[in-house]
Amino acid sequence: MTFLPNYLNSILKAAAFCCLALTLLPAYAQDAPKQGNHGINVANMDRSVKPGDNFWLYCDGDWIKRTEIPPDRARLSVFSTLDDLSNKRTAALIDELAKSNAPAGSSKRKIADLYNSYMDEAAIDAKGLAPLQPHLKAIAAISSKKELAYALGQTLRADVDALNNTNFHTPHLFGLWVAPGFNDSDHYAPYLMQGGVQLPDREYYTSDNEHMRDIRAQYQTHVSAMLKLAGFTDTDARAQRLIALEHAIAEKHLTLAENDDIHKANNTWTQSDFNTKAPGLDWAEYFRGAGLAKQASFIVWQPTAFAGESALVESTPLETWKDWLAYHVLEEYAGYLPKAFSDESYAFFGAMLQGAPQQRPRWQRGVMVVNRYLGDDVGQIYAQRYFPPEAKAQADAMVANIIAAFRKRIDALDWMDPKTKAEAQAKLTTLYVGIGYTESWIDYSGYEVKPDDVFTNVWRGKLFQYHRQVARLGKNVDRHEWSMTPQTVNAVNLPLQNALNFPAAVLQPPFFDPKAPAAANYGAIGSVIGHEVSHTFDTEGSAFDSKGRVRNWWTDADLAHFEAATAKLAAQYDAYQPFPDLHLNGKQTLAENIADVAGIAASYDGYHASLAGKSAPVQDGFSGDQQFFIAFGQNYAAKGRDAALRQQVMVDSHSPAQYRASTVRNIDAWYSSFDVRPGETLYLAPDERVRIW
Ligand SMILES: [Zn+2]
């Protein structure tokens, strides 16, 4: 469970269209952090707004007014500004490596070669569709459903992630996630998940909303155009049939809210179970194609989707499936094919779905490609250069304070049974907190990179990651393993490992500034830390015990209390309505909203503990507590295009920024800090405020 939506995973088809990372530094970058001034940024606030009416605008209103979203962006935020910094640094590192003329086969040379192979547009255009032709020919040669099953198996990749970087979307028929087993958390197990559609979520196929109908009409035009570019004939009819197939697949899918239920996901199937529980697809051929013929069993996340999708393999004509395969491989690799493909793909998935008319500059996309396929090699140098031991020590101390605050809060809960409390405390004791960077870097020596062939570099990169994951099946779990590179601006809780990662790139001003008052650091990065710690105890995290096993360690009464409190929180977020025809889904965002509420509460306590009885310094006329809450609100300075905001509401487990900033309405101290009174928009009577941890 991450702190921020992972736009890279959800939107990026070919590492071509990222939405959170990278920019030409916008105006905002020049004023945050302020020179010679550390702590909250009063120039970003709009003090004409009452904090109790709209805390987000109060903290960020002037920034929102003066910020313009550049044409290559779907959204800007305080996080994207830090991403820009991280990417500029990474680009400079890559540039140095490229000039160092490192020996062939060395990791430095691979980084340079991968980046340069992406940057060489002339070489990519000159090759035309040639790199993809062998794959298209193989698809054209499929002559039976048995061969189709094998070919579908060959597309399986390690491209989904249910609980860490949370990504439930794969365009391949199914997706593989290798992680500690639900029932044996000491060993890695294979989780299989539903897939098979290109649009971001089933809602895009099934919703009757006018906006969605418009997207579907444009999708038909886009699919036809892609097929035409690749030399197919009769493309309108082919597009119509393969979209009808995607629609049928989407109808079998579980919703995002349903995917969050661990207990429904814990289904162990042997290979023969697939034949009886999900007949249609030739499973033996599928697993042979995937290189998993010897894997005895799998955990199937969405059994009904597997049954439905497998039946569709049998009932849908072979030719439709072949068109589906051809279009899917074209779309997946469009960013590494000649400009016409890349532009057509972006026009739909970037400009149409996200609202940003222009692609990012190519160098920024090149950095993303390197981060995706050689991220740890770059990260190792990045961490050495940009994360000094002093910063690590100070971040360690904050984490310790916030975890101590969490412990006290658990002890003080009047509704919780002592036995449940003891297991909650045990979870905090075994929690591994990674600060800055991993202790064991990924070894990419098995990944071959060629200087002038980005298509096969990316193809092999995905295969390398897949084989690396498959090779881990059945092996002992490394609880200290990281799931983020140090240059990533985000944070994550890994529930099956009972571990947290805070990458170096997020431990930077304005979130974390060693020179800022404690109030600002605890309000900003402290709430992020608290958020990740509390994922340990959200609706999903609380399903796992201190060893990462799925085990109910709750008494019935405790669970009933927890469920009542969380239902109240879900209702609070259900009521938010960013568009007249679109509400937030309180259940889909529940785990993240719990983490936001519990995170700020624990960080507030940690802040007070850090003062050790001394009074806090006043800054710009704001008390320590006021600075704490304003710093929290300033985490959510963000501006997005309507299309991007709609997509987030529909496909993401994180609430949009303005509602995350409103989390404060559940915290008593916020009311006294800003004199918030009944009648103001965000006001909640004391018994309506949600207190969970
Ligand atoms: Zn989170």
Side-chain angles (χ1 to χ4, degrees), residues 1-4 531-532 535 592 595 654 660:
M1 305 300 288
T2 57
F3 186 75
L4 293 169
H531 172 106
E532 293 308 331
H535 270 314
E592 294 300 335
H654 301 81
R660 297 186 77 176

Side-chain angles (χ1 to χ4, degrees), residues 278-300:
L281 176 65
D282 185 334
W283 287 101
E285 281 301 296
Y286 179 84
F287 287 124
R288 203 170 67 81
L292 290 167
K294 295 206 173 91
Q295 179 63 33
S297 65
F298 298 84
I299 298 169
V300 175

Side-chain angles (χ1 to χ4, degrees), residues 155-175:
T155 65
L156 186 65
R157 293 291 179 272
D159 58 358
V160 287
D161 177 338
L163 294 168
N164 296 342
N165 296 315
T166 46
N167 169 28
F168 284 99
H169 184 269
T170 172
H172 303 133
L173 190 64
F174 303 116

Side-chain angles (χ1 to χ4, degrees), residues 252-485:
K252 309 295 180 194
H253 277 189
L254 261 58
T255 64
L256 276 175
E258 289 167 332
N259 277 332
D260 278 350
D261 190 338
I262 308 293
H263 302 287
K264 283 191 189 139
N266 191 2
N267 313 289
T268 300
W269 286 14
T270 62
Q271 288 227 7
S272 64
D273 284 338
F274 284 86
N275 295 322
T276 51
K277 294 180 174 168
L281 176 65
D282 185 334
W283 287 101
E285 281 301 296
Y286 179 84
F287 287 124
R288 203 170 67 81
L292 290 167
K294 295 206 173 91
Q295 179 63 33
S297 65
F298 298 84
I299 298 169
V300 175
W301 204 272
Q302 306 101 340
T304 51
F306 276 70
E309 292 195 50
S310 178
L312 282 167
V313 175
E314 189 167 50
S315 64
T316 307
L318 184 63
E319 291 309 311
T320 305
W321 275 108
K322 287 165 69 172
D323 288 342
W324 177 94
L325 272 171
Y327 165 62
H328 277 225
V329 74
L330 267 170
E331 197 70 78
E332 183 172 0
Y333 287 89
Y336 313 103
L337 291 172
K339 195 168 179 303
F341 291 90
S342 169
D343 285 354
E344 173 58 38
S345 186
Y346 185 82
F348 181 76
F349 284 97
M352 169 71 197
L353 287 187
Q354 290 281 310
Q358 275 176 25
Q359 289 209 60
R360 298 292 176 88
R362 195 158 184 99
W363 71 265
Q364 295 180 1
R365 290 179 270 148
V367 170
M368 288 171 49
V369 172
V370 174
N371 276 337
R372 176 157 280 204
Y373 298 106
L374 290 168
D376 267 26
D377 272 359
V378 181
Q380 213 166 337
I381 311 172
Y382 181 96
Q384 272 169 11
R385 197 169 293 186
Y386 296 113
F387 198 59
E390 310 84 76
K392 189 167 161 65
Q394 200 172 343
D396 279 337
M398 277 186 78
V399 171
N401 262 345
I402 291 165
I403 290 180
F406 231 100
R407 285 193 182 284
K408 279 197 191 145
R409 295 185 75 89
I410 291 169
D411 275 340
L413 293 173
D414 53 8
W415 54 270
M416 188 175 265
D417 187 270
K419 272 194 216 143
T420 316
K421 284 183 182 177
E423 183 61 32
Q425 296 286 7
K427 282 199 82 166
L428 289 177
T429 304
T430 54
L431 185 70
Y432 163 73
V433 183
I435 299 284
Y437 48 88
T438 180
E439 293 152 37
S440 55
W441 303 94
I442 293 174
D443 173 7
Y444 296 104
S445 55
Y447 173 38
E448 188 196 357
V449 175
K450 290 187 177 167
D452 56 356
D453 191 357
V454 71
F455 180 92
T456 49
N457 285 341
V458 170
W459 188 282
R460 275 193 304 265
K462 289 175 192 248
L463 264 183
F464 171 78
Q465 288 173 350
Y466 177 70
H467 291 144
R468 180 174 170 271
Q469 294 298 336
V470 167
R472 284 142 54 95
L473 292 172
K475 301 244 167 79
N476 289 337
V477 166
D478 172 9
R479 293 197 189 286
H480 292 190
E481 179 177 69
W482 276 55
S483 84
M484 280 179 176
T485 62

Side-chain angles (χ1 to χ4, degrees), residues 116-127 338-339 362 365:
N116 289 333
S117 72
Y118 181 78
M119 295 305 288
D120 193 349
E121 281 184 273
I124 295 170
D125 282 341
K127 283 194 175 110
K339 195 168 179 303
R362 195 158 184 99
R365 290 179 270 148

